[in-house]
Amino acid sequence: MVRAEERAHVDVERARARITSGRHGFDVAPVLRAAGDLRTAFERTVTAFESTGIVSTAHAPALRRQSVDATTLVLAWANSESTPRDPALRVARTVAGIVGNAVLARASDDVAESFSFAGWTRAHCPCCGASPDLAMSTAAKRTLVCWRCDTQWRTTHRGCLGCGANGPPDVARVPSPYLGYELAICNACGRYLKERRGSPAHALLVERALTAGLDEAAEQRGLRA
Ligand SMILES: [Zn+2]
Ligand SMILES: [Zn+2]
């Protein structure tokens, strides 16, 4: 909904040249700032949350007041600043994440169009430099997904993306059959990744929401994404 209407402001040729030379394509703050006033997108997302019951009607007016600082909220999400404790601010962070992800995914789509990431062998995102939060694996390939801009790229690494540990006892896999995911945990360096067989069953936004419990479980163990 947000994605279709936001225009990306990214220098596509410069981003591709950087990726080809082994650096990630763009820095997210200028792209988010160049997206202009994010208030409308923020308010629309609040309305969508309200209509689906994710946000109670009682909280919606307070959230709309937050929209004045939509760009600041989106930058806080993009920089992974610590999650606010206040319940309304927590929801505002979630809304900001949806808006920011839409803007950045659009920028990354523009970079990726008719361009291959095949030469990119690193464990961080070729477009924005963030870590993957999801992996989609088959016997033949493992595809990583950027938590921030949804870019997907292939990797030859099968083990931990943090330290390269490959297999037990360093890497443990905790299956979650109902979700179709495994939590891949590295006991050597403390990283985790949510991994599934094959393609995602839903939009990435939904996949992330459905597997949020795996993140909580990992964080309770003191692991980091
Ligand atoms: Zn990214
Ligand atoms: Zn590791």
Side-chain angles (χ1 to χ4, degrees):
M1 176 194 69
V2 181
R3 181 173 306 197
E5 294 169 16
E6 292 300 333
R7 299 190 67 84
H9 294 269
V10 63
D11 185 337
V12 169
E13 292 310 321
R14 181 166 177 268
R16 290 175 181 166
R18 283 176 56 113
I19 294 166
T20 303
S21 70
R23 293 176 297 162
H24 68 263
F26 55 82
D27 292 326
V28 294
V31 172
L32 291 169
R33 288 210 183 86
D37 193 348
L38 297 174
R39 215 177 322 182
T40 308
F42 190 97
E43 286 175 4
R44 282 207 191 114
T45 307
V46 171
T47 303
F49 270 30
E50 200 182 4
S51 65
T52 53
I54 296 171
V55 166
S56 81
T57 306
H59 286 136
L63 274 171
R64 290 206 174 80
R65 282 195 295 278
Q66 302 277 347
S67 74
V68 177
D69 295 319
T71 299
T72 306
L73 292 167
V74 170
L75 286 167
W77 162 81
N79 293 326
S80 299
E81 287 177 15
S82 57
T83 312
R85 289 202 179 162
D86 177 76
L89 288 177
R90 286 179 84 95
V91 182
R93 172 66 65 84
T94 303
V95 171
I98 288 166
V99 172
N101 173 252
V103 173
L104 296 177
R106 176 63 182 265
S108 294
D109 277 353
D110 286 354
V111 173
E113 196 184 334
S114 311
F115 181 76
S116 169
F117 298 129
W120 186 264
T121 56
R122 297 171 183 237
H124 60 260
C125 174
C127 286
C128 81
S131 301
D133 65 340
L134 303 172
M136 315 288 169
S137 295
T138 65
K141 63 179 201 259
R142 190 187 202 194
T143 302
L144 304 174
V145 185
C146 174
W147 75 265
R148 193 159 59 178
C149 78
D150 292 352
T151 294
Q152 300 189 21
W153 72 103
R154 285 197 198 176
T155 180
T156 54
H157 300 292
R158 289 285 178 170
C160 173
L161 299 172
C163 71
N166 206 347
D170 286 337
V171 178
R173 293 181 169 273
V174 183
S176 189
Y178 178 72
L179 293 170
Y181 273 81
E182 284 180 345
L183 197 57
I185 292 167
C186 180
N187 294 310
C189 77
R191 284 274 299 264
Y192 78 92
L193 188 65
K194 297 184 288 188
E195 185 151 15
R196 69 167 293 139
R197 285 264 144 212
S199 311
H202 308 278
L204 292 171
L205 184 71
V206 178
E207 294 280 320
R208 291 193 177 105
L210 289 173
T211 56
L214 298 181
D215 295 292
E216 281 168 29
E219 280 156 24
Q220 277 168 13
R221 291 174 179 229
L223 301 162
R224 64 200 158 76

mmCIF file of all heavy atoms in Angstrom, residues 197-218:
data_model
loop_
_atom_site.group_PDB
_atom_site.id
_atom_site.type_symbol
_atom_site.label_atom_id
_atom_site.label_comp_id
_atom_site.label_asym_id
_atom_site.label_seq_id
_atom_site.Cartn_x
_atom_site.Cartn_y
_atom_site.Cartn_z
ATOM 1 N N ARG A 197 12.741 -23.507 4.511
ATOM 2 C CA ARG A 197 12.938 -24.262 3.270
ATOM 3 C C ARG A 197 12.140 -23.602 2.167
ATOM 4 O O ARG A 197 10.965 -23.294 2.360
ATOM 5 C CB ARG A 197 12.451 -25.693 3.437
ATOM 6 C CG ARG A 197 13.360 -26.560 4.239
ATOM 7 C CD ARG A 197 14.285 -27.366 3.320
ATOM 8 N NE ARG A 197 15.597 -27.507 3.930
ATOM 9 C CZ ARG A 197 16.743 -27.583 3.265
ATOM 10 N NH1 ARG A 197 16.758 -27.538 1.957
ATOM 11 N NH2 ARG A 197 17.876 -27.706 3.886
ATOM 12 N N GLY A 198 12.770 -23.388 1.037
ATOM 13 C CA GLY A 198 12.045 -22.889 -0.127
ATOM 14 C C GLY A 198 11.664 -21.430 -0.015
ATOM 15 O O GLY A 198 12.239 -20.676 0.755
ATOM 16 N N SER A 199 10.661 -21.036 -0.779
ATOM 17 C CA SER A 199 10.278 -19.632 -0.879
ATOM 18 C C SER A 199 9.383 -19.233 0.278
ATOM 19 O O SER A 199 8.731 -20.095 0.883
ATOM 20 C CB SER A 199 9.514 -19.394 -2.184
ATOM 21 O OG SER A 199 10.208 -19.951 -3.258
ATOM 22 N N PRO A 200 9.315 -17.929 0.567
ATOM 23 C CA PRO A 200 8.386 -17.478 1.606
ATOM 24 C C PRO A 200 6.949 -17.752 1.192
ATOM 25 O O PRO A 200 6.597 -17.648 0.023
ATOM 26 C CB PRO A 200 8.654 -15.981 1.719
ATOM 27 C CG PRO A 200 9.424 -15.597 0.505
ATOM 28 C CD PRO A 200 10.082 -16.824 -0.015
ATOM 29 N N ALA A 201 6.124 -18.136 2.179
ATOM 30 C CA ALA A 201 4.724 -18.448 1.896
ATOM 31 C C ALA A 201 3.878 -17.177 1.779
ATOM 32 O O ALA A 201 2.829 -17.173 1.158
ATOM 33 C CB ALA A 201 4.173 -19.355 2.994
ATOM 34 N N HIS A 202 4.367 -16.088 2.394
ATOM 35 C CA HIS A 202 3.599 -14.839 2.439
ATOM 36 C C HIS A 202 4.510 -13.677 2.059
ATOM 37 O O HIS A 202 5.707 -13.862 1.853
ATOM 38 C CB HIS A 202 3.067 -14.591 3.861
ATOM 39 C CG HIS A 202 2.331 -15.745 4.440
ATOM 40 N ND1 HIS A 202 1.012 -16.006 4.157
ATOM 41 C CD2 HIS A 202 2.719 -16.729 5.294
ATOM 42 C CE1 HIS A 202 0.626 -17.093 4.807
ATOM 43 N NE2 HIS A 202 1.644 -17.552 5.495
ATOM 44 N N ALA A 203 3.936 -12.480 2.011
ATOM 45 C CA ALA A 203 4.754 -11.273 1.860
ATOM 46 C C ALA A 203 5.734 -11.214 3.033
ATOM 47 O O ALA A 203 5.439 -11.704 4.128
ATOM 48 C CB ALA A 203 3.865 -10.041 1.844
ATOM 49 N N LEU A 204 6.909 -10.599 2.802
ATOM 50 C CA LEU A 204 7.950 -10.573 3.835
ATOM 51 C C LEU A 204 7.449 -9.923 5.122
ATOM 52 O O LEU A 204 7.791 -10.354 6.221
ATOM 53 C CB LEU A 204 9.178 -9.836 3.307
ATOM 54 C CG LEU A 204 9.916 -10.562 2.176
ATOM 55 C CD1 LEU A 204 10.988 -9.650 1.576
ATOM 56 C CD2 LEU A 204 10.534 -11.862 2.673
ATOM 57 N N LEU A 205 6.628 -8.888 4.973
ATOM 58 C CA LEU A 205 6.044 -8.217 6.140
ATOM 59 C C LEU A 205 5.290 -9.214 7.014
ATOM 60 O O LEU A 205 5.395 -9.198 8.248
ATOM 61 C CB LEU A 205 5.092 -7.128 5.622
ATOM 62 C CG LEU A 205 4.416 -6.202 6.604
ATOM 63 C CD1 LEU A 205 5.436 -5.245 7.198
ATOM 64 C CD2 LEU A 205 3.303 -5.405 5.912
ATOM 65 N N VAL A 206 4.533 -10.098 6.374
ATOM 66 C CA VAL A 206 3.739 -11.094 7.090
ATOM 67 C C VAL A 206 4.655 -12.177 7.665
ATOM 68 O O VAL A 206 4.485 -12.605 8.814
ATOM 69 C CB VAL A 206 2.658 -11.700 6.161
ATOM 70 C CG1 VAL A 206 1.857 -12.775 6.886
ATOM 71 C CG2 VAL A 206 1.747 -10.605 5.631
ATOM 72 N N GLU A 207 5.638 -12.620 6.868
ATOM 73 C CA GLU A 207 6.593 -13.625 7.364
ATOM 74 C C GLU A 207 7.249 -13.132 8.654
ATOM 75 O O GLU A 207 7.428 -13.873 9.611
ATOM 76 C CB GLU A 207 7.690 -13.884 6.320
ATOM 77 C CG GLU A 207 7.205 -14.542 5.047
ATOM 78 C CD GLU A 207 7.026 -16.055 5.184
ATOM 79 O OE1 GLU A 207 7.861 -16.702 5.835
ATOM 80 O OE2 GLU A 207 6.038 -16.568 4.635
ATOM 81 N N ARG A 208 7.646 -11.846 8.656
ATOM 82 C CA ARG A 208 8.313 -11.291 9.843
ATOM 83 C C ARG A 208 7.366 -11.249 11.032
ATOM 84 O O ARG A 208 7.752 -11.552 12.160
ATOM 85 C CB ARG A 208 8.841 -9.888 9.546
ATOM 86 C CG ARG A 208 9.999 -9.923 8.573
ATOM 87 C CD ARG A 208 10.741 -8.590 8.521
ATOM 88 N NE ARG A 208 11.875 -8.729 7.637
ATOM 89 C CZ ARG A 208 11.955 -8.231 6.414
ATOM 90 N NH1 ARG A 208 10.957 -7.508 5.937
ATOM 91 N NH2 ARG A 208 13.022 -8.436 5.664
ATOM 92 N N ALA A 209 6.106 -10.858 10.772
ATOM 93 C CA ALA A 209 5.144 -10.791 11.880
ATOM 94 C C ALA A 209 4.873 -12.190 12.436
ATOM 95 O O ALA A 209 4.819 -12.389 13.655
ATOM 96 C CB ALA A 209 3.843 -10.140 11.391
ATOM 97 N N LEU A 210 4.742 -13.192 11.546
ATOM 98 C CA LEU A 210 4.437 -14.556 11.988
ATOM 99 C C LEU A 210 5.587 -15.168 12.785
ATOM 100 O O LEU A 210 5.362 -16.027 13.630
ATOM 101 C CB LEU A 210 4.141 -15.452 10.769
ATOM 102 C CG LEU A 210 2.822 -15.179 10.041
ATOM 103 C CD1 LEU A 210 2.738 -16.022 8.768
ATOM 104 C CD2 LEU A 210 1.633 -15.499 10.949
ATOM 105 N N THR A 211 6.810 -14.729 12.491
ATOM 106 C CA THR A 211 7.976 -15.330 13.146
ATOM 107 C C THR A 211 8.551 -14.430 14.242
ATOM 108 O O THR A 211 9.662 -14.668 14.720
ATOM 109 C CB THR A 211 9.076 -15.648 12.112
ATOM 110 O OG1 THR A 211 9.409 -14.449 11.399
ATOM 111 C CG2 THR A 211 8.614 -16.702 11.117
ATOM 112 N N ALA A 212 7.793 -13.405 14.652
ATOM 113 C CA ALA A 212 8.291 -12.493 15.690
ATOM 114 C C ALA A 212 8.600 -13.237 16.986
ATOM 115 O O ALA A 212 9.514 -12.867 17.726
ATOM 116 C CB ALA A 212 7.277 -11.372 15.938
ATOM 117 N N GLY A 213 7.848 -14.317 17.266
ATOM 118 C CA GLY A 213 8.084 -15.102 18.474
ATOM 119 C C GLY A 213 9.466 -15.744 18.480
ATOM 120 O O GLY A 213 10.068 -15.932 19.545
ATOM 121 N N LEU A 214 9.993 -16.081 17.283
ATOM 122 C CA LEU A 214 11.335 -16.654 17.202
ATOM 123 C C LEU A 214 12.388 -15.619 17.588
ATOM 124 O O LEU A 214 13.390 -15.943 18.227
ATOM 125 C CB LEU A 214 11.621 -17.182 15.791
ATOM 126 C CG LEU A 214 10.721 -18.316 15.289
ATOM 127 C CD1 LEU A 214 11.140 -18.745 13.878
ATOM 128 C CD2 LEU A 214 10.777 -19.506 16.229
ATOM 129 N N ASP A 215 12.144 -14.356 17.196
ATOM 130 C CA ASP A 215 13.072 -13.282 17.586
ATOM 131 C C ASP A 215 13.070 -13.111 19.105
ATOM 132 O O ASP A 215 14.123 -12.954 19.716
ATOM 133 C CB ASP A 215 12.669 -11.959 16.922
ATOM 134 C CG ASP A 215 12.800 -12.012 15.417
ATOM 135 O OD1 ASP A 215 13.934 -12.096 14.935
ATOM 136 O OD2 ASP A 215 11.771 -11.987 14.731
ATOM 137 N N GLU A 216 11.854 -13.143 19.683
ATOM 138 C CA GLU A 216 11.778 -12.996 21.142
ATOM 139 C C GLU A 216 12.524 -14.126 21.836
ATOM 140 O O GLU A 216 13.274 -13.899 22.787
ATOM 141 C CB GLU A 216 10.311 -12.985 21.594
ATOM 142 C CG GLU A 216 9.642 -11.640 21.373
ATOM 143 C CD GLU A 216 8.132 -11.730 21.536
ATOM 144 O OE1 GLU A 216 7.661 -12.601 22.306
ATOM 145 O OE2 GLU A 216 7.430 -10.937 20.884
ATOM 146 N N ALA A 217 12.326 -15.362 21.336
ATOM 147 C CA ALA A 217 13.003 -16.522 21.937
ATOM 148 C C ALA A 217 14.514 -16.357 21.828
ATOM 149 O O ALA A 217 15.256 -16.633 22.779
ATOM 150 C CB ALA A 217 12.548 -17.806 21.255
ATOM 151 N N ALA A 218 14.979 -15.885 20.672
ATOM 152 C CA ALA A 218 16.423 -15.722 20.456
ATOM 153 C C ALA A 218 16.977 -14.626 21.369
ATOM 154 O O ALA A 218 18.035 -14.786 21.975
ATOM 155 C CB ALA A 218 16.699 -15.389 18.997
#
